[in-house]
Amino acid sequence: MTSPSPFRLAVLNVMPEAEVYLDYLAGVVPAGTELHWIKVRNHPYNSSNQEILAATHRFYDEVDIDSCDALLLSGSVMDRNPVFTEARYWDEVVETLKDASGRVGSLAGVCWGAQVVAKVFFDIDKKHFSEKLSGVFEMTNLQPEHPLMRGLDDRYWLPQSRYAELDPEPFAEAVRAGKLIPLDTSEQSGPTTVVSADGRYLLLQGHQDYPTGRLALEYHRARAKGENPPVPVNYDPDRPVNRWRANNRALIAAWLQLAAERKRQGSRSVELAAATQS
């Protein structure tokens, strides 16, 4: 009996210290998943290890995106900025997402990346908080029978580290119109994990990608810079404990499975159309 082919995930990486994301995602995706790392041209990656970046990342037009099941857009320090277009790589990211959306089974974005996907494909802006939302929040699973949520507990923990949310009014309108489906929520964070009705887009405003110590790193780094960051909720930055690993892995695995199925369905549709025309 042959084992199934691994998933193939392209990652558009605009994280600070971009190389750390290699380990972050390796700890979340199913074993055997092929990761194809993409960098953007209009970004100097000043905080990143240039040798590692050169060895692991390629530009979008150098990647065989047609072989990938899904594409994920990472978070970014531009999360702090209310204006999307002030990211120097904005046009490049938008062009990449639009092209990839017709080539992969599903697109996802994390944190800032989720808000970018919402803006590009649903024209939903982001609304900034008065202070950073940081911590590990107990989420309610709103759609336990949805293919993405069947493997998750009814209530589960999710790290969040962001300065903004999807603008509530246009977001609610998209939900009423049946375009978007909120998959979870908490009193403090509101709806955080959202999927499009057709499964083509997944908005991860939380951080299913975060390892145990990431929130602690962010907190202590901000303190060292003389800032006064909020202490992450339900999380001790001096003795961090992971309460989210299993559920987040389940969600990412379910998403990649859904993306692969959509990709195969799309390929079959193209083959049937070609056979009909021949």
Side-chain angles (χ1 to χ4, degrees):
M1 179 178 178
T2 59
S3 59
S5 300
F7 300 119
R8 296 176 175 87
L9 173 62
V11 185
L12 184 55
N13 189 5
V14 290
M15 281 275 284
E17 299 174 323
E19 67 276 4
V20 305
Y21 212 43
L22 281 82
D23 289 335
Y24 286 12
L25 278 194
V28 175
V29 298
T33 300
E34 292 182 15
L35 294 171
H36 299 263
W37 293 92
I38 300 172
K39 57 186 176 181
V40 293
R41 289 185 167 87
N42 294 319
H43 183 25
Y45 291 92
N46 288 331
S47 66
S48 303
N49 183 306
Q50 297 301 311
E51 290 185 6
I52 296 176
L53 192 71
T56 57
H57 288 59
R58 293 182 291 167
F59 296 119
Y60 179 70
D61 55 14
E62 300 170 342
V63 173
D64 181 14
I65 195 66
D66 289 321
S67 72
C68 294
D69 300 303
L71 181 141
L72 181 138
L73 173 61
S74 75
S76 165
V77 294
M78 292 305 295
D79 179 43
R80 289 174 173 258
N81 193 318
V83 183
F84 282 122
T85 55
E86 289 188 2
R88 70 177 70 191
Y89 41 78
W90 173 253
D91 290 341
E92 187 176 355
V93 165
V94 171
E95 181 180 346
T96 298
L97 292 178
K98 287 183 175 180
D99 184 78
S101 69
R103 297 174 180 269
V104 298
S106 184
L107 281 178
V110 175
C111 194
W112 179 82
Q115 293 156 6
V116 171
V117 172
K119 175 61 178 174
V120 172
F121 296 103
F122 299 95
D123 197 26
I124 298 174
D125 284 305
K126 59 176 178 170
K127 181 180 180 181
H128 273 239
F129 302 130
S130 57
E131 70 172 7
K132 183 180 183 180
L133 180 73
S134 177
V136 183
F137 299 91
E138 189 175 24
M139 310 300 296
T140 297
N141 185 342
L142 297 176
Q143 301 286 340
E145 295 306 314
H146 191 281
L148 293 177
M149 304 298 282
R150 287 176 189 156
L152 277 68
D153 297 329
D154 292 340
R155 296 182 70 84
Y156 60 93
W157 298 94
L158 177 61
Q160 307 211 32
S161 176
R162 54 189 167 101
Y163 293 87
E165 64 180 344
L166 301 179
D167 193 342
E169 205 168 301
F171 171 67
E173 184 177 335
V175 172
R176 287 193 297 269
K179 297 178 181 178
L180 294 176
I181 302 171
L183 298 177
D184 64 11
T185 192
S186 77
E187 184 178 347
Q188 301 96 323
S189 70
T192 297
T193 307
V194 179
V195 69
S196 63
D198 59 3
R200 191 173 182 180
Y201 305 104
L202 179 63
L203 315 179
L204 305 171
Q205 292 190 94
H207 274 287
Q208 279 85 353
D209 53 341
Y210 268 13
T212 306
R214 177 67 193 198
L215 290 174
L217 174 66
E218 293 177 358
Y219 175 76
H220 289 303
R221 180 179 288 171
R223 296 265 300 180
K225 291 179 179 178
E227 299 175 10
N228 186 29
V231 178
V233 175
N234 298 320
Y235 179 91
D236 185 345
D238 294 318
R239 292 178 293 275
V241 174
N242 193 307
R243 293 192 282 180
W244 58 86
R245 185 184 294 114
N247 280 284
N248 287 352
R249 285 178 175 174
L251 176 69
I252 296 301
W255 170 60
L256 289 172
Q257 181 65 49
L258 179 66
E261 290 172 359
R262 291 190 79 260
K263 183 71 178 285
R264 286 194 295 270
Q265 290 170 358
S267 298
R268 285 198 295 270
S269 297
V270 171
E271 292 170 0
L272 287 172
T276 301
Q277 294 172 2
S278 62

